[in-house]
């Protein structure tokens, strides 16, 4: 096999496995119990409810894997994708499309169950009318600021709005006129009439509807009143006959309200269950902050490979399998914690180690002339595509008189412990020969080494010489005449601090100024000439790389997904043992 044809093994995205048997975390334990007691007639129906106000991030992946995963694990289980689109001023169709793409890429399928909270606007409005008729909701003329003042604190009860005792007739009339556009934005809201002295602040007459003149990406200008999250979410779950409404811990105190609306309206009642959200170190993970990074041009976009977004991880070269494995490994719990980003990197290394073909690429080229190798001669040397998977076969790599090696693989004065090339020193070239450095040519002005002259031992082609002598290092290389030129983008952490918001700091103050290094004139083995956007490789000794979509503009561009854990010691040990 030759070239890129043998390299597409890594690029087929697979569906999430359906019959994995993850251990029973507390969410799954609740569901198992509900199945035993036949609480929902043996049904399991979850949903993933993103607000289309930004791109999905790795935290959302945890929620997606949990919701779609649970549905897949249970016979007949279903999971809906529902856009929680009740805030038109922040939402956009671009986000809707991006979210769909990301969920699909992760390997999940909502089949025909794509929903929008905005589909329920009329129904929600009618439920609000019902609550007014039941004396459970009222139109309030206090401003947002006044409502906040009236709310009280954790230690002080709230004060009742002077509009709380309006008659049903007056409330119905005002609410209708709110909908009809008779009032200014912010002049009136509809509130649930619950309990201003409740210990739970969410129960102190929460706002159900606000007036907002904003064009909605789906309903246009049809509405100028929009329902609030708490009112919308439980009813949407109920309409879709969700059994388990799984959300993050910060909604724990909203659960009484979730239950209140459904109970007062006597609607079908799903069970809300809260789990701890994913937090990762060396990153920020809220859409608001990620939007700030995009809008402030601190990154190139939502899919910048340094972003913790799913689209960023994809562009960086992560596989859906690696992201799912990560979500499985972190598990689901009730307690907040911070996961080390190293675990995410570990997961992608594990996956790519199995699947990514090895190739040779030189990121910072140093020219090497093999003086005793015949001019014009080319040998095609067999190279293994993936030692972890013999079925991935071999390819041919051309060897010739002039090569490139990595600049940092040569030292004029090698320090102790440096076993790579140096004057008079012999090393192996991977899949090829032993070469010995005879001399170094320097730039007259800068003194920088710009070319090495070496000799090779023809008796060492991919094996030990008859005299049994050994070398302590194996270098990767590329034949100069055959090399493909490419750009490599090396990424480092976007933030310098494990907690970019430590002690209330602005996260933008701990941005890493060196989070991106661009190398323009890398040299790669010719099998990469036909690499396509999204293809993933291991560059031997350097790390995992994937082809960036920018490659369509002409020159090949590679993103470094992740470095290899311990490239030097491994290679050197392997060489010593034969
Ligand atoms: P952010 O705080 O990042 O803006 P969000 O909660 O506002 O996120 P939504 O679109 O409302 O974003 O989230 C959709 C679903 O994903 C919700 O059920 C939410 O609980 C879940 N989710 C969001 N962030 C995380 C996270 N870090 N870990 C796990 N689940 C999350
Ligand atoms: Mg939210």
């Amino acid at each position: 096999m030759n070239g890129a044809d043998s390299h597409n093994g890594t690029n087929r995205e697979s569906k999430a496995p359906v019959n994995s048997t993850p251990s029973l975390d507390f969410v799954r334990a609740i569901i198992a119990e509900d199945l035993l007691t036949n609480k929902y007639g043996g049904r399991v129906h979850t949903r993933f409810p993103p607000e289309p106000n930004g791109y999905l991030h790795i935290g959302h992946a945890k929620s997606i894997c949990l919701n779609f995963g649970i549905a897949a694990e249970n016979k007949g289980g279903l999971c809906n994708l529902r856009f929680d689109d009740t805030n038109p001023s922040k939402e956009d169709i671009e986000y809707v499309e991006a979210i769909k793409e990301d969920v699909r890429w992760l390997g999940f399928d909502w089949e025909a169950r794509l929903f929008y909270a905005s589909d329920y606007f009329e129904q929600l409005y009618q439920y609000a009318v019902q609550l007014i008729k039941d004396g459970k909701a009222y139109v309030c003329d206090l401003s947002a600021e006044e409502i906040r003042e009236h709310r009280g604190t954790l230690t002080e009860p709230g004060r009742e709005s002077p509009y709380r005792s309006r008659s049903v007739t007056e409330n119905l009339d005002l609410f209708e006129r709110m909908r009809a556009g008779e009032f200014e934005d912010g002049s009136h809201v509809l509130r649930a009439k619950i309990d201003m002295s409740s210990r739970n602040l969410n129960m102190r007459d929460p706002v159900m509807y606000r007036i907002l003149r904003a064009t909605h990406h789906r309903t246009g200008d049809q509405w100028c009143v929009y329902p609030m999250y708490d009112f919308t979410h439980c009813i949407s779950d109920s309409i879709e006959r969700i059994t388990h409404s799984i959300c993050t811990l910060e909604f724990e105190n909203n659960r009484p309200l979730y239950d209140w609306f459904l109970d007062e309206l006597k609607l079908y009642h799903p069970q809300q269950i809260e789990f701890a959200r994913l937090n990762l170190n060396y990153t920020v993970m809220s859409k608001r902050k990620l939007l700030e990074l995009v809008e402030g041009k601190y990154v190139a976009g939502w899919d910048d490979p340094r972003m913790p977004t799913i689209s960023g991880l994809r562009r960086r070269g992560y596989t859906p399998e690696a992201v799912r494995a990560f979500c499985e490994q972190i598990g689901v719990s009730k307690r907040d914690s911070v996961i080390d980003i190293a675990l995410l990197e570990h997961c992608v290394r594990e996956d790519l180690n199995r699947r990514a073909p090895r190739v040779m690429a030189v990121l910072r080229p140093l020219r090497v002339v093999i003086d005793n190798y015949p001019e014009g001669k080319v040998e095609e040397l067999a190279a293994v595509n993936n030692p972890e998977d013999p079925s991935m076969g071999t390819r041919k790599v051309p060897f010739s008189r002039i090569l490139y090696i990595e600049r940092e693989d040569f030292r004029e004065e090698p320090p102790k412990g440096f076993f790579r090339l140096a004057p008079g020193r012999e090393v192996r070239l991977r899949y090829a020969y032993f070469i010995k450095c005879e001399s170094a040519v320097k730039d007259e002005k800068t003194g920088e080494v710009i070319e090495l002259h070496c000799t090779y031992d023809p008796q060492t082609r991919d094996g030990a010489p008859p005299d049994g002598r050994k070398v302590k290092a194996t270098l990767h290389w590329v034949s100069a005449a055959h090399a493909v030129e490419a750009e490599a983008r090396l990424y480092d952490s976007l933030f310098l601090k494990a907690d970019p918001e430590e002690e209330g700091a602005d996260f933008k103050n701990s941005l890493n100024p060196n989070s991106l290094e661009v190398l323009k004139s890398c040299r790669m083995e010719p099998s990469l000439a036909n690499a396509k956007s999204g293809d993933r490789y291991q560059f031997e000794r350097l790390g995992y790389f994937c082809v960036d979509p920018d490659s369509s503009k002409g020159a090949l561009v590679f993103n470094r997904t992740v470095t290899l854990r311990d490239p030097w010691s491994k290679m050197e040990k392997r060489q010593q043992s034969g």
Side-chain angles (χ1 to χ4, degrees), residues 68-81:
F68 280 95
I70 284 173
E73 287 150 31
N74 287 282
K75 197 162 167 286
L78 300 172
C79 181
N80 297 356
L81 175 60

Side-chain angles (χ1 to χ4, degrees), residues 92-110:
D92 197 278
I93 188 79
E94 176 198 346
Y95 299 135
V96 170
E97 293 307 322
I99 289 169
K100 287 201 273 187
E101 184 184 353
D102 289 348
V103 175
R104 242 184 249 122
W105 177 79
L106 271 178
F108 298 106
D109 186 359
W110 54 87

Side-chain angles (χ1 to χ4, degrees), residues 48-51 57 59-60 62-63 246-248 250-251 275 277-278 285-288:
F48 173 64
E51 182 182 354
H57 51 60
H60 292 112
K62 176 176 180 178
S63 176
I246 303 166
C247 61
T248 37
E250 68 271 20
F251 291 102
F275 69 99
R277 66 195 294 116
L278 167 66
M285 222 182 347
S286 107
K287 283 182 284 189
R288 185 180 59 73

Side-chain angles (χ1 to χ4, degrees), residues 214-368:
T215 303
H216 189 282
H217 59 99
R218 299 192 77 239
T219 57
D221 295 319
Q222 198 183 328
W223 293 87
C224 66
V225 290
Y226 288 97
M228 303 298 287
Y229 172 87
D230 284 308
F231 181 62
T232 309
H233 202 81
C234 56
I235 294 176
S236 305
D237 281 346
S238 178
I239 292 171
E240 294 172 19
R241 301 196 70 76
I242 298 304
T243 56
H244 300 86
S245 178
I246 303 166
C247 61
T248 37
L249 275 185
E250 68 271 20
F251 291 102
E252 201 164 20
N253 288 329
N254 300 55
R255 181 165 15 109
L257 185 53
Y258 183 103
D259 293 339
W260 188 88
F261 283 125
L262 295 180
D263 289 343
E264 291 300 327
L265 289 163
K266 300 184 182 63
L267 294 177
Y268 164 81
H269 199 145
Q271 173 68 51
Q272 177 178 309
I273 305 170
E274 309 87 16
F275 69 99
R277 66 195 294 116
L278 167 66
N279 301 301
L280 268 186
N281 60 11
Y282 294 99
T283 191
V284 293
M285 222 182 347
S286 107
K287 283 182 284 189
R288 185 180 59 73
K289 290 168 201 160
L290 297 176
L291 179 65
E292 223 179 307
L293 291 174
V294 173
E295 290 192 328
K297 305 229 186 306
Y298 298 99
V299 292
W302 284 98
D303 69 344
D304 186 301
R306 292 165 292 181
M307 291 280 270
T309 50
I310 296 179
S311 51
L313 292 169
R314 174 167 63 236
R315 189 161 181 179
R316 175 96 171 231
Y318 273 73
T319 59
E321 289 81 359
V323 176
R324 294 198 305 258
F326 170 74
C327 291
E328 195 162 317
Q329 286 192 30
I330 58 176
V332 179
S333 86
K334 266 281 186 197
R335 197 166 325 141
D336 271 316
S337 64
V338 179
I339 304 289
D340 195 330
I341 189 98
L343 181 61
L344 184 60
E345 295 181 347
H346 165 79
C347 289
V348 75
R349 266 190 208 106
E350 286 248 296
D351 190 35
L352 292 179
N353 181 44
R354 266 180 264 122
R355 309 162 64 198
R358 270 66 163 163
V359 291
M360 292 196 285
V362 174
L363 298 184
R364 297 173 182 87
L366 174 61
R367 211 174 119 96
V368 173

